[in-house]
Amino acid sequence: MMMMIIIIIIIIIIFAPTRGFWDTSASVGQLTPDFYASTCPQLASIVAEQVYQAAQADPRMPASLVRLHFHDCFVNGCDASILIKSTAQNTAEMDVAPNQNTLHGMDLIDIAKDAVEKACPGIVSCADILALATRDSVVLAGGGTYAVPTGRRDSRVSLASSVNLPGPRQSVVSALPAFMGRGLTLADMVALLGAHTMGVTHCQFFSDRLYNFNNTFRPDPTMDPAQVTLLRSVCPRIFPGLGGTVSLDQGTRFIFDNSFYQELQQNRGILQMDQELSRDPTTAALVSQLAAPDSNFTTIFGQAMVKLGNVGVLTGARGEIRKICSQIN
């Protein structure tokens, strides 16, 4: 196991990608990949070990961490506010739709934080641990690596009222402003949604596409009929919330590759928002590029993740370094 962890760290350090023709880079401000070089040099190996152990126990963990990081960054920035638990006086982000009972991976971040605190007490933020763990999980799932700029501090606030995330039934046109409002581009959006090459979704988020699309009492005509039949066997017409979960990528559900985009081209996207990426004239060409056999999707995704990880960060004297990720100091 230790040899695997060492290999992962070497890959991360040596093969971090340079900017590609889809330059999704952004200024990282005060963040830098070597922020903890002198104060916690063992940070990378500690986090990588915990992620490796968790992914070995649960192959769904990489997808969970990517989703957790995204849901954190999209609400007031990458400040680990998603990890704060509710109190009697305040309902936190994790306890409101679409986060409630659907986010996983918080326990892993707690475990990693505890291990880091033993080695470097009071030095490393939960926000940075989450960003590093997300990158490590992508590597473990077969994706490319990317250098994670660090130096984030943790938020002292987590409010349910702050949660405003793009929904699974939105169109490209309606979802794009949410990404642009966070300094992300159309290309960033297409690349980041490629994280759906891993993970699952619940029937309630797409069952209308199987039975009553746009109140027509018919399935979504843009979905492959064979897939409609298959998904109906999992998701009941009545009370779809009682149905199971469905892989967002019907091709390679636990592997980080460009199969997701290939599925979209075959009209096999699960969520309406995903499928529209291949049909909307503003994004169809991007999907085609990412779906190609020689696609550099993993590099592009890494660049977009670096940009996402810089959204609304707290640095310097702002925020705090939480001792326990689930509660403010």
Side-chain angles (χ1 to χ4, degrees), residues 5-240:
I5 296 169
I6 293 172
I7 292 173
I8 293 171
I9 295 171
I10 291 174
I11 291 173
I12 289 169
I13 294 173
I14 296 179
F15 297 101
T18 56
R19 296 178 185 179
F21 68 93
W22 278 35
D23 188 358
T24 54
S25 61
S27 170
V28 294
Q30 299 179 49
L31 304 186
T32 172
D34 60 356
F35 186 84
Y36 299 107
S38 60
T39 57
C40 192
Q42 60 272 61
L43 172 62
S45 61
I46 293 173
V47 175
E49 178 179 1
Q50 298 303 327
V51 173
Y52 175 78
Q53 292 180 359
Q56 288 294 103
D58 184 355
R60 298 170 299 179
M61 185 56 68
S64 297
L65 286 175
V66 173
R67 185 169 186 264
L68 185 64
H69 185 46
F70 181 89
H71 281 228
D72 180 44
C73 293
F74 243 67
V75 179
N76 295 330
C78 308
D79 57 6
S81 56
I82 192 67
L83 304 177
I84 298 175
K85 290 184 177 179
S86 297
T87 65
Q89 294 76 35
N90 177 65
T91 301
E93 293 171 25
M94 69 165 62
D95 289 321
V96 64
N99 297 330
Q100 191 173 32
N101 301 322
T102 67
L103 291 177
H104 306 283
M106 290 87 82
D107 291 346
L108 166 58
I109 303 304
D110 288 338
I111 292 170
K113 172 64 172 178
D114 184 62
V116 170
E117 281 295 302
K118 287 182 172 63
C120 317
I123 298 296
V124 183
S125 68
C126 299
D128 278 342
I129 291 174
L130 176 55
L132 289 166
T134 300
R135 186 272 313 277
D136 293 346
S137 71
V138 170
V139 174
L140 279 173
T145 188
Y146 52 94
V148 176
T150 50
R152 300 169 186 80
R153 290 172 66 84
D154 298 322
S155 174
R156 297 188 179 95
V157 178
S158 181
L159 302 173
S161 58
S162 299
V163 177
N164 183 20
L165 294 159
R169 295 181 176 87
Q170 284 189 252
S171 66
V172 170
V173 171
S174 64
L176 182 58
F179 286 81
M180 294 185 67
R182 290 155 178 82
L184 302 168
T185 66
L186 180 70
D188 295 330
M189 181 178 78
V190 176
L192 290 170
L193 288 175
H196 289 171
T197 189
M198 306 183 293
V200 300
T201 188
H202 297 265
C203 292
Q204 65 197 71
F205 297 118
F206 65 90
S207 61
D208 60 312
R209 299 189 69 204
L210 306 180
Y211 298 106
N212 186 25
F213 184 66
N214 288 343
N215 296 316
T216 61
F217 298 101
R218 299 179 64 84
D220 185 344
T222 67
M223 182 181 281
D224 173 33
Q227 177 142 295
V228 171
T229 300
L230 175 64
L231 296 178
R232 281 179 170 180
S233 69
V234 180
C235 303
R237 179 189 293 268
I238 307 299
F239 303 122

